[in-house]
Each structure stands twice: as structure tokens, then as C-alpha cells.
Amino acid sequence: MISIDDIILAREKMKGVVHTTPLDFSQTFSNISTNNKVYLKLENLQKTGSFKVRGSYNKMISLSESELQKGVVAASAGNHAQGVAYSSQMLGIPCTIVMPKGAPLSKVSATKQYGAKVVLQGNVFDDALAYALQLKEQMGATFIHAFDDDAVIAGQGTVGLEILEQLPDVEAIMVPVGGGGLIGGIALAVKEKNPYIKVYGVQTLACPSMKQSLVENQPVMVDSTPTMADGIAVKKPGLHNFELVEKYVDDIFCVDEMEIARTMLLLLERNKLLVEGSGAVSLASLLYQKVNFKEKNVVAVLSGGNVDVNFISRIIERGMVESGRYANFTLIVKDKPGELQRVLRFISDLDANIQSVHHDHFGKDIYPGYAQLKLALETKNQDHIEEIRLLLKNNGYVVGDSN
């Protein structure tokens, strides 16, 4: 098991290579979070867009000269790939990243831009991982694990040292948890310096592997469902990481997809921060009162901001739908002059913003003399949506389910 000295040494070695990311106080989120003083650790502003570069760089500078010359291999479809590629570029060593064929083009392109050779293999991550391990043997290269490695964990732990320096009176830290490298390193660094600081992990309900592992007292494999927090959707935590979490972490909480989506949207609107789903779970746990404390100095680690450009609009729309800011209505109306104008007037009178209108006269559910309206509306909240629905029904319209 690593020690606090390993993390301190990692911090010294990576000075000038990775950013000391800002710790930003948020009055808005402090007010929402039952009057805790909420600070955001902005690892989404880290080089390569996430904390991953810390661990990968620390791992690589721990290799011998002969190991460096043979290069490194990693398997990843996301942030780890870019962290390893960037670190390799800084050290001037060969780097091969194996990614599944379905990896987002933006992430493939970003990894290549850092100078890595990208190999697309298999349809899922496990296929890419198996092939990466084969390449490691063929090339004699070093495999860089995404989380289950002491040097990687030590590198991630430097986030904890920065938090202690930036906010000496911190009382609790919320950390996203996937494989456990980030929280393992942070918890060790923080608890060895001040055991009274609480360190909590946050996972998605779609893949609560670390939480379930703690229940069963060993790393276990869990089933997972699709999640926008794909960066922490790790089905089985690492052994090294589990041991650190078991020793140092106070508890693990889970948030759902609705809570993640709303938090991502709030970060965009209120703080102008683009944060990926896996990075937003820490703040979501505070905004939705998963923890039972008040008036504490709390840090939420926003672990990454690499959101695929094509996915941003869907995330925003999902967040708006979940918070009642966007709704779709389907109505059957009489096909006569002035009927469309009447419907739109009802909606405008309730201060809903009409985004789009689709008027259809033909369809299996549309009888002669009637038409179907499909309306997309910008609304205020769920109560506003229900108010619109009730008004339309009370005026004789057949209203289909929204969204």
C-alpha cells in the first residue's frame, strides 16, 4: 500500500507538467446545499480535461530508462487515453492506445493529437483491454492501468494535497468513484494529514460497484445499466483501490440519472462550467442532500469535463426535461380555421415559450375533421407543465403525455 510520502513525491515530480487546478467557492450551490459552504475543485480544467493525467504521468516517470524506451500501452475509451497520451508526449516515449471501435471520434482524435498511436479493436472496452494486453507482451511495453496501480493512485492523490493547501479548514470532500484510483489517493493524502476530515465517495446508481464491494468486504463485479456518467461506470473496482477506500473513506453515496443531468445543467447555467456526468456526481450528492450535514466547508471534486460535442445538446435537453424546463405535448384538435391560433394563445397566456409546432392532418389516430398538434415548449418547472396540461384539458382538448 502506498504512503503519504509517495503522494508528496509525486506532487514534486509533476510540478510544471500538470496544473494546480482552482478551488472555486460557489455561493449558489452553497445556498442550495442546506447552507454548506461549497467549493468546487476544478479538475475539469486540468490538462487533457480530467484528473487522469496526474496518475498516468506519475506512473510513467517511475519507469526505468529501458522501460521508457520500449514505450507504454493502455486501453481506454475516454479520459485515461488522453492522460496517457499527453504524458507520453511530455516524456517523448512511444505510446499505443487501444480503443473500442465505437469510441467517440472526438476522443480518438484528441488522443491522436497528443501523439499516440490509436488502435481500434473490438466492440466493447473488454475487447480493447484484451488486445492491449496482447500488444504489451508483443512489444515488451509497459501497460498503464487506469486505476489499479500504486503509482497511478499516488498521482491522483495530489488532488488531495492541493485541496488541503487551498482550503486548510476543509471539513468534508466529495469524490466521484469508478475504479477507485482518485478517491483512494485523495482519502489517503487527506486522512494522513488530518484524520478528522470526512471523505465521501459518490457513484451512479447505474453502476455502484465500490459501494457493493464494501458491503461484501471484497471487490465484486456488479451489473450496470447505461449512464451519462460513463467515466465512472466501472463494474469492478481495483484491489489496491478497494483497500484504501475500506481504510480511509467514510461512506459511499449514489445519485441517479435525473440528479446528474440537472447538476450538469446547473453547472453550465450558474458557473459556466462544462462538466461530464462522472465529474458532476460529487456536486449532485450535495445538491440532493445525500449527506446529512449542514454549515460545513465542503469540497466537491469535479473530476473531468470531456463531454463529446455532439452529446452536449442532448445533455442540456435531458437536464431541461428533468427539471421541467422543456416539454412536448401532443394534442388532437378540430381541423378548422383559428383552432391552432386558439391553442397557441392558451399556451402564451401561461408564459410558456413555444419552440416548435408540427401540424399533421393525416395518421392512424387522426380522424376526418381533426388534426394532430405536436408542440415543443420551454417551461418553468414541473408545476408549470401541469398547469398547461390542465388548462388545455379544461378547454376540451385531448392531451397526450409530454416528453
Side-chain angles (χ1 to χ4, degrees):
M1 187 178 289
I2 65 171
S3 69
I4 183 66
D5 291 336
D6 295 316
I7 300 175
I8 293 172
L9 181 60
R11 177 85 188 283
E12 291 300 315
K13 288 181 177 180
M14 63 178 64
K15 281 183 177 178
V17 177
V18 303
H19 293 313
T20 297
T21 53
L23 187 69
D24 183 41
F25 173 72
S26 173
Q27 187 63 59
T28 296
F29 295 132
S30 297
N31 293 339
I32 297 174
S33 176
T34 60
N35 294 315
N36 290 301
K37 291 184 178 179
V38 176
Y39 297 79
L40 307 176
K41 180 60 172 169
L42 304 182
E43 282 297 292
N44 59 310
L45 303 183
Q46 183 56 263
K47 290 182 179 179
T48 75
S50 88
F51 73 96
K52 287 287 189 178
V53 67
R54 296 175 182 263
S56 58
Y57 185 78
N58 190 56
K59 172 63 177 179
M60 281 184 250
I61 59 176
S62 70
L63 300 178
S64 67
E65 189 62 36
S66 62
E67 288 174 322
L68 289 172
Q69 289 176 0
K70 294 177 182 178
V72 297
V73 173
S76 171
N79 292 337
H80 181 57
Q82 294 174 61
V84 172
Y86 174 82
S87 300
S88 299
Q89 186 181 65
M90 290 298 98
L91 295 169
I93 63 174
C95 173
T96 301
I97 306 292
V98 184
M99 308 177 83
K101 294 177 181 177
L105 292 178
S106 61
K107 294 185 178 181
V108 173
S109 177
T111 303
K112 288 180 177 179
Q113 287 174 5
Y114 288 122
K117 175 184 177 182
V118 175
V119 178
L120 299 178
Q121 181 70 31
N123 296 317
V124 296
F125 173 75
D126 288 341
D127 296 337
L129 175 61
Y131 189 69
L133 293 174
Q134 290 179 26
L135 286 181
K136 165 188 174 294
E137 296 299 327
Q138 294 171 12
M139 300 165 56
T142 299
F143 182 75
I144 308 298
H145 200 285
F147 50 84
D148 199 10
D149 181 282
D150 283 345
V152 170
I153 297 168
Q156 320 301 29
T158 59
V159 176
L161 295 182
E162 289 179 16
I163 292 172
L164 292 175
E165 292 172 1
Q166 294 166 322
L167 188 67
D169 56 350
V170 59
E171 295 172 274
I173 303 174
M174 315 302 299
V175 187
V177 182
L182 179 62
I183 194 171
I186 289 177
L188 188 154
V190 168
K191 293 284 191 174
E192 288 295 323
K193 291 280 189 178
N194 184 345
Y196 297 103
I197 298 172
K198 300 293 185 181
V199 178
Y200 298 107
V202 188
Q203 295 198 286
T204 165
L205 280 171
C207 191
S209 56
M210 186 66 81
K211 187 173 182 65
Q212 187 60 35
S213 295
L214 290 174
V215 171
E216 300 190 29
N217 297 313
Q218 62 180 340
V220 296
M221 180 82 70
V222 300
D223 294 328
S224 66
T225 55
T227 173
M228 63 183 67
D230 58 323
I232 56 172
V234 177
K235 294 183 179 181
K236 184 178 181 180
L239 178 60
H240 296 78
N241 318 92
F242 172 78
E243 292 172 348
L244 289 168
V245 169
E246 192 174 42
K247 180 176 180 180
Y248 291 110
V249 173
D250 293 281
D251 205 350
I252 304 282
F253 302 100
C254 292
V255 293
D256 62 30
E257 297 301 293
M258 176 191 72
E259 292 160 344
I260 297 170
R262 289 180 179 176
T263 301
M264 293 175 71
L265 186 60
L266 277 171
L267 282 163
L268 272 173
E269 285 190 319
R270 304 295 179 87
N271 287 57
K272 308 302 181 282
L273 291 170
L274 181 61
V275 180
E276 62 194 74
S278 55
V281 297
S282 54
L283 180 60
S285 70
L286 292 173
L287 302 186
Y288 291 93
Q289 284 85 48
K290 305 298 179 179
V291 289
N292 187 26
F293 53 69
K294 296 181 180 181
E295 299 181 356
K296 301 290 186 182
N297 291 327
V298 188
V299 172
V301 178
L302 306 184
S303 56
N306 289 321
V307 185
D308 188 83
V309 173
N310 295 321
F311 196 53
I312 292 173
S313 62
R314 282 178 278 169
I315 290 171
I316 294 172
E317 183 175 324
R318 171 70 180 267
M320 292 183 71
V321 168
E322 294 288 3
S323 61
R325 300 274 303 282
Y326 184 87
N328 291 302
F329 284 100
T330 301
L331 289 78
I332 300 298
V333 301
K334 292 181 181 179
D335 188 13
K336 65 178 185 179
E339 193 66 19
L340 174 59
Q341 182 179 359
R342 183 170 181 257
V343 170
L344 298 183
R345 186 174 67 250
F346 284 135
I347 293 171
S348 296
D349 287 346
L350 288 179
D351 295 325
N353 188 25
I354 300 168
Q355 298 286 304
S356 67
V357 178
H358 182 73
H359 196 203
D360 199 345
H361 294 81
F362 304 101
K364 66 177 182 178
D365 297 323
I366 306 172
Y367 295 100
Y370 289 86
Q372 185 183 69
L373 283 181
K374 293 181 179 178
L375 304 172
L377 309 177
E378 185 179 351
T379 50
K380 299 175 183 178
N381 49 44
Q382 294 293 348
D383 290 339
H384 191 205
I385 293 172
E386 290 307 311
E387 185 181 4
I388 296 168
R389 185 199 304 277
L390 183 61
L391 177 64
L392 292 172
K393 285 186 175 181
N394 288 343
N395 281 276
Y397 296 105
V398 178
V399 183
D401 290 337
S402 63
N403 302 319

